[in-house]
């Protein structure tokens, strides 16, 4: 298992195009916008897998992001994929 480079610090995050969907993932957008931390994203991803939720639902249930923040990030994600 290779971990690669450590995650970027806040403010240094750069959007990258991903193979899956050809655009930034929801968690990346929320990190870049400063709505969540890397630690919060990691925890929400674990919860997402364990509970079978979508990432946005997990972030809302944990109180890490609001519905409006998720909605705006999803709209931006769709725009960037076009």
């Amino acid at each position: 298992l290779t971990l690669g480079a450590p995650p970027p610090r806040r403010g240094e995050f750069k959007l990258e195009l991903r193979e899956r969907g050809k655009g930034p993932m929801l968690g990346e957008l929320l990190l870049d916008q400063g709505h969540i931390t890397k630690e919060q994203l990691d925890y929400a991803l674990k919860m997402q897998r364990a509970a079978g939720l979508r990432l946005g639902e997990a972030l809302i249930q944990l109180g890490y992001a609001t519905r409006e923040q998720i909605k705006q990030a999803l709209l931006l994600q769709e725009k960037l994929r076009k």
Side-chain angles (χ1 to χ4, degrees), residues 13-57:
F13 192 80
K14 296 179 182 175
L15 296 179
E16 298 175 8
L17 294 181
R18 301 277 184 172
E19 270 308 305
R20 187 177 167 216
K22 303 285 187 200
M25 298 179 84
L26 178 63
E28 292 174 326
L29 291 171
L30 292 167
L31 276 170
D32 188 55
Q33 295 171 346
H35 294 309
I36 61 172
T37 66
K38 176 73 172 122
E39 292 77 20
Q40 289 172 327
L41 176 59
D42 290 342
Y43 190 81
L45 287 168
K46 288 178 187 175
M47 180 182 173
Q48 173 196 21
R49 290 182 200 109
L53 299 171
R54 290 179 176 247
L55 178 58
E57 294 169 337

